[in-house]
Amino acid sequence: MANSRENFGSRFAAIAALAGSAIGLGNIWRFPYMVGENGGAAFILIYIAASLFLSVPIFFAEFIIGRRSGANCFGAMKRLAPGSKWGLLGILCILTPTLILSYYAVVGGWSITYLLRSFTLAFPSFGSFSSSGWACTAFGIYLALSCIIVAGGVKKGIETFSKISIPILFILIVGLAVYSVTLKGGAAGIDYMLKPDWSKVGARTFVNAIGQSFYSISLGMGIIITYASYISKKENIVISGIGTAGFDLFFAVLAGFVIMPAVFAAGIEPGSGPGLIFDTLPFIFVSMSEASPLLATVVAVAFFLTVTIAALTSSVSLVEVPVAWLIEEKKMKRGSATLLVFAVTGIIGAFCALNLGVFDWLDKVCCNVLLPIGGILCVIFVGWIMKKDDVRDEFTSGGIRKGNQRLFAFAYFLVKYVAPVAVAVIFISNFI
Ligand code: PHE
């Protein structure tokens, strides 16, 4: 079929876009604390296993749906399972990122505000700022930024932005980590995060590791389906999957090396979530400024720039999912499709920006219900509904990837049997 769709221009472009989606707030505000509380290096080992044997296979399933069909989430299901109810999975995969974008961009707005404030180190009090009119305005600006990048197109917008952002993100996080680990008293932070403690490892640790890795790689919400539809047929799926998971983990560990030493050097209890980034760290930056205002300003600006860019590369991937659907299924122009997504998420997000109760509720519904359902259905579709030969063909790029040929049986087993059961267990465990 003639195809006028744009594609990512190179392997680096594809991995930068995928890693950009993966690297986000989850890596910065959740991963370091989760590692510290769940057994340090022991948790990291379990996390790597969970990523390799579960998240990466789910990534494969979504990738196969996207690249095989060469279409947006809904179009993908229509092409691969015509006339069936599987179109509903496509709709779910468009609904979930739209809802997530609505509140994710609220945090993006906070990040931009704190980035601007870090030039003068005059941070607002997070408690009163977070549901103010200013927070809502900043949300609108951040959302508009994400949409402008997507309106630029797959190549000129998303690809260009990702290819620039990913190297900048890594330079920033490595620079910050080098600074942070050399702080006096910072070693205790590394100790807290990494010291292996198998006594802390229990059933819950596995549930945490799987849940975090699933969210962090941006599974279950149509992003991999959509991005994979822009990836060349020749590209190696295994390299895309392991590359994305690897960059994501590397960044998360480095984020821990930035945050934990700084927190311990300041003698503060570590924590996670918005409070860590928007309360604890600003407090640390302000206290650092007593010794050297210039250094404190540079570190604060670098830190909030990292948070803002990391969030932006993720929200761009969220915007693209419904936009791709509107362009291909509703025949809209990219510009108007993006504007419509901006309007809808702007309205839902304004409620979240002004009322953190709505924010929390939406976050729970998306992460605990919609994402696992999306993930399970994708693996069931690829493992049980698609023809095995088609799956193999896609996994091996039409047979040209000989190494993948050998890996196929194992990967297929993981997708068909292991992933559905594991995600179902995680899903149920959220309610007990
Ligand atoms: N993977 C992102 C993170 O770690 C989370 C994300 C969620 C990305 C939703 C895109 C969409 O923060």
Side-chain angles (χ1 to χ4, degrees):
M1 175 178 181
N3 198 342
S4 60
R5 300 173 93 240
E6 289 184 278
N7 262 5
F8 290 128
S10 62
R11 169 175 289 174
F12 173 63
I15 294 195
L18 288 164
S21 173
I23 295 170
L25 297 159
N27 305 54
I28 300 173
W29 78 23
R30 232 167 124 230
F31 182 85
Y33 180 73
M34 194 175 256
V35 175
E37 290 302 293
N38 284 279
F43 177 83
I44 295 190
L45 286 180
I46 296 169
Y47 183 88
I48 293 176
S51 300
L52 281 179
F53 298 119
L54 260 167
S55 301
V56 171
I58 301 171
F59 175 103
F60 289 158
E62 294 193 21
F63 191 109
I64 286 170
I65 296 178
R67 194 171 64 175
R68 187 89 191 153
S69 63
N72 68 90
C73 298
F74 184 69
M77 301 320 295
K78 256 192 355 196
R79 282 191 197 179
L80 299 178
S84 72
K85 289 264 182 298
W86 283 98
L88 291 175
L89 170 58
I91 292 174
L92 176 69
C93 285
I94 291 157
L95 178 71
T96 311
T98 308
L99 293 176
I100 294 187
L101 174 65
S102 307
Y103 68 86
Y104 203 81
V106 171
V107 186
W110 299 343
S111 319
I112 289 202
T113 308
Y114 277 68
L115 170 60
L116 295 177
R117 293 300 193 99
S118 53
F119 285 95
T120 50
L121 293 179
F123 297 107
S125 131
F126 182 62
S128 47
F129 164 74
S130 55
S131 43
S132 66
W134 279 115
C136 195
T137 312
F139 150 73
I141 295 173
Y142 174 91
L143 185 62
L145 260 180
S146 316
C147 289
I148 288 169
I149 296 167
V150 172
V154 173
K155 258 178 116 63
K156 284 214 186 98
I158 301 174
E159 172 172 331
T160 308
F161 179 65
S162 310
K163 284 201 310 207
I164 299 172
S165 310
I166 290 293
I168 294 181
L169 273 181
F170 277 96
I171 292 169
L172 283 170
I173 201 88
V174 168
L176 283 166
V178 168
Y179 166 75
S180 200
V181 294
T182 52
L183 284 173
K184 204 164 146 268
I190 301 288
D191 231 40
Y192 160 79
M193 193 171 111
L194 288 189
K195 202 161 169 227
D197 181 355
W198 291 97
S199 71
K200 283 192 179 158
V201 173
R204 203 71 232 168
T205 320
F206 286 83
V207 172
N208 287 342
I210 295 170
Q212 170 69 11
S213 128
F214 187 94
Y215 178 79
S216 195
I217 302 178
S218 307
L219 300 173
M221 55 182 120
I223 290 176
I224 315 296
I225 298 182
T226 309
Y227 273 9
S229 75
Y230 304 132
I231 294 179
S232 143
K233 291 278 179 202
K234 293 202 193 98
E235 185 50 58
N236 190 335
I237 184 173
V238 176
I239 293 193
S240 301
I242 303 217
T244 305
F247 278 129
D248 186 57
L249 173 64
F250 185 55
F251 186 91
V253 171
L254 283 173
F257 282 16
V258 173
I259 291 169
M260 291 309 166
V263 168
F264 276 80
I268 301 175
E269 279 293 300
S272 70
L276 172 69
I277 296 191
F278 299 110
D279 259 334
T280 310
L281 287 170
F283 172 80
I284 294 174
F285 297 141
V286 171
S287 13
M288 272 167 55
S289 70
E290 280 157 27
S292 163
L294 180 65
L295 185 65
T297 309
V298 170
V299 172
V301 169
F303 180 76
F304 283 110
L305 190 60
T306 309
V307 176
T308 306
I309 299 178
L312 256 181
T313 51
S314 294
S315 46
V316 160
S317 70
L318 290 165
V319 178
E320 177 60 19
V321 177
V323 165
W325 168 67
L326 289 170
I327 294 175
E328 291 169 13
E329 305 299 319
K330 304 289 165 205
K331 309 293 173 224
M332 289 177 77
K333 291 244 177 328
R334 180 167 279 273
S336 8
T338 316
L339 200 59
L340 180 59
V341 171
F342 174 76
V344 171
T345 49
I347 293 169
I348 309 175
F351 285 101
C352 302
L354 295 171
N355 184 334
L356 293 186
V358 179
F359 179 112
D360 283 339
W361 179 82
L362 202 53
D363 181 39
K364 287 224 162 54
V365 172
C366 289
C367 291
N368 297 346
V369 184
L370 301 182
L371 291 185
I373 294 181
I376 290 196
L377 291 177
C378 285
V379 282
I380 291 183
F381 184 77
V382 172
W384 296 86
I385 307 291
M386 276 179 79
K387 284 206 205 79
K388 189 172 176 181
D389 283 341
D390 289 349
V391 177
R392 181 189 286 112
D393 188 64
E394 203 52 53
F395 190 77
T396 57
S397 295
I400 60 170
R401 302 279 170 201
K402 298 288 177 241
N404 295 6
Q405 202 90 38
R406 283 190 288 278
L407 267 179
F408 179 71
F410 183 51
Y412 193 68
F413 171 78
L414 292 174
V415 168
K416 192 170 173 115
Y417 300 103
V418 180
V421 176
V423 182
V425 170
I426 303 296
F427 180 53
I428 294 164
S429 78
N430 283 327
F431 299 96
I432 48 180

